[in-house]
Amino acid sequence: MIKSILFWLENSRIFSLPMTLLSWLVIFVYALNENGNILNGVIALIGIAFAHLATNLFDDYIDYKKLTENSQKCKCLYIKEGKATLNDVLLVVVIYCAVAFLAGLILLFRCGLPVLWLGLVGGIITLIYAKLSQKGLSEIAVGIAFGPLLFEGVYFVMTGHFSLIVLVMSLAVVMFTVGLLYVHTLLDFEGDLYSHKKTLVCRLGNKNRALKGVFIVYGLGYLFTLILAFILKNYFILITFILIPFVFDIYKSLKTFRCGDDTAEFYFRLLKARNLMVYYSLLITLFLLF
């Protein structure tokens, strides 16, 4: 049983879960400063985490049907090797969604009707994310789900209201999550192109041009960070600018990657973007405690 759970967590890309956990931690700490309800915040985390895992796995379900020989070796590898069928994948997606739904239902009774609308938007994004990613809209979907939706949702269930400051905070933090997704699609550029998957990177048509988008994504993150620091009058937040060299390191690393490289080379670069998001979120959380 434990082995099976670990198998599905690994293939649900649990390594990406820090995106959820740390985004949640930022707004959780901020809401605690306003005497937010801890239990509601924890229930929200459970629902968001399982919705995230469901999205990752359902993306595999959709993508597997359109895989080409140019796809990354690690893409849907567990299905290719016969360790799981598409029906198995779909069943686990349903289980994940059921847990997320239960968490939402509990919060609906505890916090009121706005939870229904927040959950409805989150559920729709979870179910149609794979289709959105094929149309070049995955960055927008992630930006909404891990930005305003997550931040305002957690803040609401903990405090009972929404906040403009929280909106700005969400835009700052989510750009580092979008950065991780953008790096992922850059690494998948050739495979997605041959399978006619119209990611944002593919729509740009040229990988060298798309590489420059790394600076735009993270640049927007630092722009909102600057605005947030001035709104809160918390200038410790500006210390996050010491992480800018990591952006240049990611860019240089992506320039040397070639589709079809060893799986370890793929994850080496992807984890650079994940780690930047982790460092940034931890610093923001720390400075919000001051």
Side-chain angles (χ1 to χ4, degrees):
M1 182 68 171
I2 301 242
K3 189 175 180 181
S4 177
I5 291 173
L6 292 175
F7 170 82
W8 285 110
L9 287 176
E10 179 183 353
N11 291 307
S12 303
R13 297 185 283 288
I14 195 172
F15 70 85
S16 68
L17 213 52
M19 291 195 315
T20 293
L21 178 60
L22 291 171
S23 295
W24 169 85
L25 184 62
V26 172
I27 187 57
F28 180 77
V29 167
Y30 183 73
L32 279 184
N33 290 335
E34 299 189 20
N35 300 313
N37 186 291
I38 294 176
L39 179 59
N40 287 352
V42 172
I43 294 172
L45 172 62
I46 294 170
I48 295 164
F50 275 93
H52 180 179
L53 294 174
T55 303
N56 286 348
L57 207 55
F58 194 57
D59 197 36
D60 282 355
Y61 179 83
I62 299 296
D63 279 354
Y64 181 75
K65 300 175 181 180
K66 297 186 177 181
L67 285 181
T68 68
E69 293 181 1
N70 300 87
S71 301
Q72 298 296 341
K73 295 176 183 178
C74 56
K75 199 171 186 70
C76 303
L77 185 61
Y78 64 102
I79 305 177
K80 293 177 189 174
E81 293 178 342
K83 295 178 180 178
T85 66
L86 283 178
N87 285 339
D88 293 333
V89 173
L90 192 58
L91 176 60
V92 177
V93 169
V94 170
I95 293 171
Y96 285 159
C97 288
V99 175
F101 177 79
L102 179 60
L105 196 60
I106 293 171
L107 289 173
L108 175 62
F109 284 110
R110 288 176 61 88
C111 306
L113 197 57
V115 173
L116 176 63
W117 307 117
L118 291 166
L120 186 61
V121 174
I124 291 172
I125 291 175
T126 296
L127 293 176
I128 69 172
Y129 173 77
K131 292 294 184 182
L132 291 175
S133 67
Q134 293 175 353
K135 303 295 183 182
L137 299 173
S138 55
E139 285 81 3
I140 293 175
V142 166
I144 294 171
F146 286 92
L149 186 64
L150 186 155
F151 277 70
E152 294 285 10
V154 172
Y155 188 74
F156 174 78
V157 299
M158 290 183 69
T159 67
H161 56 274
F162 299 102
S163 165
L164 181 59
I165 292 175
V166 169
L167 176 61
V168 175
M169 187 185 301
S170 74
L171 294 175
V173 177
V174 79
M175 293 314 299
F176 290 82
T177 301
V178 171
L180 173 57
L181 174 65
Y182 192 77
V183 167
H184 196 170
T185 55
L186 274 167
L187 292 169
D188 277 339
F189 176 76
E190 289 84 359
D192 288 342
L193 197 63
Y194 279 99
S195 64
H196 306 292
K197 186 176 179 180
K198 298 297 184 182
T199 64
L200 175 59
V201 170
C202 289
R203 285 186 179 279
L204 291 173
N206 181 287
K207 192 171 184 179
N208 289 328
R209 186 187 306 135
L211 273 168
K212 295 179 175 59
V214 168
F215 296 118
I216 295 175
V217 172
Y218 288 113
L220 285 171
Y222 278 112
L223 174 62
F224 287 121
T225 301
L226 188 64
I227 295 171
L228 178 65
F230 281 99
I231 289 176
L232 292 176
K233 294 182 172 58
N234 183 345
Y235 302 109
F236 287 111
I237 289 174
L238 298 179
I239 296 175
T240 57
F241 278 69
I242 65 173
L243 297 174
I244 287 177
F246 284 88
V247 177
F248 287 90
D249 181 52
I250 290 170
Y251 175 78
K252 290 177 182 177
S253 180
L254 288 169
K255 285 191 74 172
T256 63
F257 181 77
R258 294 292 176 269
C259 186
D261 281 354
D262 186 74
T263 299
E265 292 294 323
F266 177 90
Y267 281 111
F268 173 71
R269 288 159 176 80
L270 185 61
L271 293 179
K272 281 178 179 285
R274 187 203 66 176
N275 291 344
L276 176 56
M277 189 273 171
V278 169
Y279 301 149
Y280 175 86
S281 299
L282 287 175
L283 285 176
I284 287 287
T285 302
L286 177 63
F287 300 142
L288 286 176
L289 290 171
F290 293 161

